[in-house]
Amino acid sequence: MESTENTIGILDSGVGGLSVLLEIRKKLPGTPVHYIGDSAWCPYGNKAAELIQSRSYAVTEQLIEMGARTIVVACNSATIHAVEALRARYPIPFVGMEPAVKPASLCTKSGTIGVLATEASIAGEKFHTLLKTHIHPKGLKVITQPCPDFVSLVEDGILDGAKVEAAIREYALPMVEAGADTLVLGCTHYPFLRESIQSVVGHDIQLIDTGAAVARRTATLVEDNEGLAPISVHTTGNLACLERLFPILCPSLPATLHQITIA
Ligand code: DGL
């Protein structure tokens, strides 16, 4: 695929960042995109910060080699543990994403927010800074919950049904029962379960994710072209899995699918 000066690179631990790719495509249809899902190392959410950082370097270098000139870190865990290091190391713009704690703090009426995110994100210093800035000074209450099964369900292309419902009942329902009226989908895999989550927790509960905001931010950094640009999606995992999953997660999005090995 040909690259241009405005080519975007998107990275995630797996297919979760495709939820961000969909938003970016809506805003920037004429901008070429290379996406790498590091499925061979998925999940990042239970890995040490150093490992998340070294995988983020390796995947970023591959995206730059493919021609990316702006990188979207479409992974909250990688943003929390690696985005500052990436910015210091590579002379190109990086757009990161963190759990939407600030928008949630502005939305809640009950004063209790639930944050669904990976274990790595919840443990990160950047996440604690978000709480110190937006939650504690307002006297709000926050409940955090890692959801490892959400990631594996999405990686398996299972977006609804009994297993999904059971996981939502385990992770999200107790937050609502404890008074949360706003739930942050703080991992890019989770928006693929949005409809299922909403139907279990009820339509009075606000679900917030940052995919659209990240796309808006990205659009301030690159100039879109006329027409539809190519999208290439690479997995460090199994190509047959990606070929099965991609039409489920991104129905009717034209893209070429590839396997890539990144040491
Ligand atoms: N999608 C990623 C995130 O936003 C990571 C999920 C995982 O690999 O655990 O945090």
Side-chain angles (χ1 to χ4, degrees), residues 78-167:
T79 298
I80 284 176
H81 292 288
V83 79
E84 311 297 358
L86 289 167
R87 288 187 177 124
R89 202 172 164 116
Y90 306 100
I92 54 171
F94 285 85
V95 180
M97 52 199 306
E98 298 165 341
V101 166
K102 182 180 176 188
S105 76
L106 301 171
C107 268
T108 181
K109 301 234 171 0
S110 70
T112 301
I113 290 162
V115 179
L116 302 155
T118 68
E119 201 184 321
S121 290
I122 291 168
E125 206 182 303
K126 231 175 174 347
F127 179 69
H128 288 273
T129 305
L130 281 178
L131 299 187
K132 269 188 229 146
T133 314
H134 303 292
I135 299 293
H136 303 329
K138 290 184 175 170
L140 301 172
K141 187 175 161 202
V142 70
I143 308 168
T144 56
Q145 176 64 55
C147 314
D149 290 355
F150 281 0
V151 174
S152 39
L153 286 163
V154 172
E155 288 288 324
D156 287 342
I158 303 170
L159 309 184
D160 51 28
K163 281 188 189 164
V164 171
E165 199 176 305

Side-chain angles (χ1 to χ4, degrees), residues 12-14 16-17 42-46 74-78 118 121 151 186-189:
D12 181 41
S13 64
C42 188
Y44 281 3
N46 64 0
C75 174
N76 294 261
S77 316
T118 68
S121 290
V151 174
C187 164
T188 51
H189 284 73

Side-chain angles (χ1 to χ4, degrees), residues 7-32:
T7 298
I8 293 172
I10 304 180
L11 69 92
D12 181 41
S13 64
V15 293
L18 294 175
S19 64
V20 183
L21 168 62
L22 288 169
E23 297 294 340
I24 287 178
R25 182 63 167 192
K26 278 190 225 156
K27 282 279 310 160
L28 296 164
T31 302

